[in-house]
Each structure stands twice: as C-alpha cells, then as structure tokens.
Amino acid sequence: MAKQSVSAVTPELQLPEPAWTPARVGLGLTMRDASFLLLVALSVAWCWRPVTTVIGRSLNSADYEHYSHIILLPFVSAYLLYLNRRAILKDVHPALRTGLFLAAAGAATIWLAGTTVITGEPEQRLSLAMLGLVTLWGAGFVLCYGLRALQTGALPFLLLLFMVPFPPAVLTAIIVFLQKASADMSELLFALIGMPALREGFVFALPGLTIEVAQQCSGIRSSLALLLIGLAIADLFLRSTWSRALLVLVIIPLAIVKNGIRIVSLSWLAVHVDRTFVTGSALHRNSGIPVFIAALLTLGCVTWLLRRCEMWSGKSVS
C-alpha cells in the first residue's frame, strides 16, 4: 500500500499575519503620545517664568484684558486635537529632519528671549519666549506624528499661536486699525439711519452731543474672542479648506460691524433719550454683551450655510 506524503494528510498550519500595534503606557497612551507629552512638559519647565507670567496676567484680566483668553487656549486646542485624533493619527510618519529644524528654531527663540541681543524690552522678550514655546510644541508634534498629522491638526495649533502676547507696537497697530474701522462703520450707519453727524477723525458732532470713538471703543477684546471662537467652530463643524477660510474672512468684518452698531445705538439713545447712555451708564458698560451674542449668532448662521454648501458640493461631486 502506497504511503501518502505527510503534506497530503496533514493540513497546512495557517499562521496569523503579524500585526503591529503601538506600545501603550497606561491611560490608553501610546509611547508616541507619552513622548510628545514629555517634550511639552520639558519645554514648559524650560519656559517656566514666562509661562507663569502669562498665566498670572490672564487670571488678572482686569489689568491685562488682552491676556484673558490665553489660559484657556491650551485646553481648547488639546480638546480639538482629541476630537480629531482619528484623522490626525490616520497617516503618522514622524519627520525627524523637519522636527529637529523646528525644535532648533524654537530653542533659539527662547534663548534669544532670555538675552538682550534682539531687544531689551521685557514685553517683547516675553512675546519671543512664548513664540519659542509654541514652536517647540509644534516641533515635538512633528517629531512624534509627522507633517501630515500637523497639517490635519493645523487649526488647534493656530489657536496656540494666540498664546503669544502681542508686542506693544503690534497691539497698538491692531487697536488703531479697529478704532478707525469702527469709526468708518459708525459714519456709514449714521448716514443709513438719517442721523446728522459731522466727523473729524475719531470725533463725531451729533445733534446736541459730541462723541469720540476712543481706543476703548475699538472692541479688540471681543473681536479677539470672536476670532478664536470662529477658529474653533471652523475646526469642529467645517471640513473643507475653502469653507474654513471663508468663515475666518467673515469674522473681521463682522467684528467691525458689531462695534459700529454698538457705537451708533448708544449714540442714538444719548441724543433721543438721555446723554448718560454714552457717559458711563450700566447699558454703556454692558452693551457689548448682547451685541457680542448677536455676532455669535450671525457667525453660527454663516457656519450653517457653509456646512450646507459643503454637503451640496459633496452630493454634486458624487
């Protein structure tokens, strides 16, 4: 009787294909996540004094109103990155060369901030130190996750750039721009409602009243808040680059219109009801809140329209 070969009677063993999974270090973190968090912690330790200075000013917003948003930005950015983690981690390719270049640039910026090589002005050196810190965070992200991951998570990192305090010259330029734009918008709105207004610079001569669009009327704090919220909304609800860009482009005109409406409304009330509406009344102090809410609602409507356009364009392509 012929012997059957062993291979004929013994089924071949099907070995499972090796599957690579990243090593994890507690709390669901991978080694890559832990490495990135370690780099962030080390960079914060290096910049401890600038970081504590910025945090202290952010908590003391009464004296440093342009810092009030900073303390929230790391948490908002981290949350946005977490929500978008699947897309970010979809194509991870650590970029060693680019990451090291960014790390060197960030480290050099922090070092220069501790010297008087570029400037001896403390406020400018604080801005340099925070810019170097955010650059180091971006470098660590590129080292651990790669350029494509950074591109996918670009908006959260863009938010982090607003942790850098504006240097005094830049802050003054922004305030003057908003002040002039608000005065221009107020002049247009006065003409639309038919109120006589003679303008000279930032001063308006109204019937029985003269007002000035001062720097405090520039609305920089609310405009900055509107911009940051708009960036977060774009990351949460919009997917295409064009729709996100359109939303961001809408924010600055919306902020200027918001300021103009507030100025003209208070001026109209001062002329027709009581002039205390522009001299320190409760409505004058708090009128920015309802106007800001109205601007947010408008921003939400624009976001909804852009979202509908995204859905329509997606259906038309398919």
Side-chain angles (χ1 to χ4, degrees), residues 133-151:
L133 177 64
V134 174
T135 304
L136 279 183
W137 290 351
F141 197 83
V142 171
L143 284 171
C144 295
Y145 302 99
L147 282 172
R148 290 190 179 181
L150 180 64
Q151 183 179 2

Side-chain angles (χ1 to χ4, degrees), residues 212-226:
E212 179 184 4
V213 181
Q215 289 191 355
Q216 295 84 350
C217 302
S218 66
I220 183 173
R221 186 175 182 178
S222 59
S223 300
L224 185 57
L226 194 65

Side-chain angles (χ1 to χ4, degrees), residues 2-318:
K3 293 182 179 180
Q4 294 182 340
S5 63
V6 176
S7 60
V9 297
T10 306
E12 293 185 0
L13 296 176
Q14 298 294 326
L15 298 177
E17 294 183 4
W20 180 84
T21 56
R24 296 188 172 273
V25 185
L27 299 177
L29 296 178
T30 65
M31 288 296 296
R32 180 179 288 110
D33 300 332
S35 299
F36 174 65
L37 292 176
L38 178 61
L39 290 174
V40 170
L42 290 175
S43 63
V44 170
W46 187 14
C47 295
W48 186 248
R49 179 171 292 181
V51 168
T52 53
T53 299
V54 166
I55 291 175
R57 293 183 178 184
S58 184
L59 293 174
N60 186 19
S61 58
D63 295 329
Y64 299 95
E65 61 176 358
H66 308 307
Y67 285 75
S68 57
H69 62 282
I70 292 180
I71 194 170
L72 297 174
L73 290 181
F75 302 101
V76 174
S77 296
Y79 180 65
L80 293 176
L81 288 173
Y82 176 77
L83 288 180
N84 204 23
R85 64 191 183 281
R86 294 185 183 277
I88 291 173
L89 299 177
K90 190 175 181 180
D91 193 6
V92 172
H93 294 289
L96 183 62
R97 184 176 301 178
T98 305
L100 289 177
F101 173 78
L102 289 174
T109 304
I110 294 173
W111 178 80
L112 288 171
T115 68
T116 57
V117 174
I118 294 181
T119 177
E121 175 61 39
E123 296 301 316
Q124 295 180 2
R125 290 167 61 186
L126 178 63
S127 300
L128 273 178
M130 294 302 296
L131 177 61
L133 177 64
V134 174
T135 304
L136 279 183
W137 290 351
F141 197 83
V142 171
L143 284 171
C144 295
Y145 302 99
L147 282 172
R148 290 190 179 181
L150 180 64
Q151 183 179 2
T152 306
L155 274 176
F157 276 94
L158 180 60
L159 282 176
L160 287 176
L161 284 176
F162 287 92
M163 289 183 62
V164 181
F166 293 116
V170 175
L171 181 62
T172 300
I174 294 174
I175 291 176
V176 170
F177 166 76
L178 290 174
Q179 184 183 9
K180 184 180 184 305
S182 299
D184 293 339
M185 179 55 61
S186 300
E187 184 178 23
L188 176 61
L189 292 176
F190 280 133
L192 288 176
I193 65 174
M195 176 177 285
L198 181 63
R199 177 184 176 185
E200 184 176 350
F202 297 128
V203 177
F204 288 87
L206 305 175
L209 180 68
T210 299
I211 66 167
E212 179 184 4
V213 181
Q215 289 191 355
Q216 295 84 350
C217 302
S218 66
I220 183 173
R221 186 175 182 178
S222 59
S223 300
L224 185 57
L226 194 65
L227 176 60
L228 296 176
I229 292 173
L231 289 172
I233 289 175
D235 190 66
L236 286 171
F237 299 106
L238 300 177
R239 291 294 169 262
S240 62
T241 302
W242 66 265
S243 60
R244 289 176 171 179
L246 279 177
L247 184 65
V248 174
L249 289 175
V250 165
I251 293 173
I252 301 302
L254 181 59
I256 293 171
V257 171
K258 167 185 68 65
N259 293 341
I261 290 175
R262 178 173 180 265
I263 293 169
V264 171
S265 299
L266 290 173
S267 301
W268 188 92
L269 289 171
V271 170
H272 293 91
V273 181
D274 192 330
R275 63 189 308 152
T276 58
F277 280 108
V278 294
T279 58
S281 65
L283 183 61
H284 179 268
R285 291 191 299 271
N286 302 315
S287 59
I289 297 175
V291 176
F292 181 75
I293 293 174
L296 279 182
L297 291 175
T298 304
L299 195 63
C301 293
V302 174
T303 304
W304 181 82
L305 289 173
L306 291 174
R307 182 65 176 160
R308 297 290 295 179
C309 290
E310 284 185 337
M311 295 171 63
W312 178 82
S313 61
K315 289 179 180 179
S316 63
V317 169
S318 59

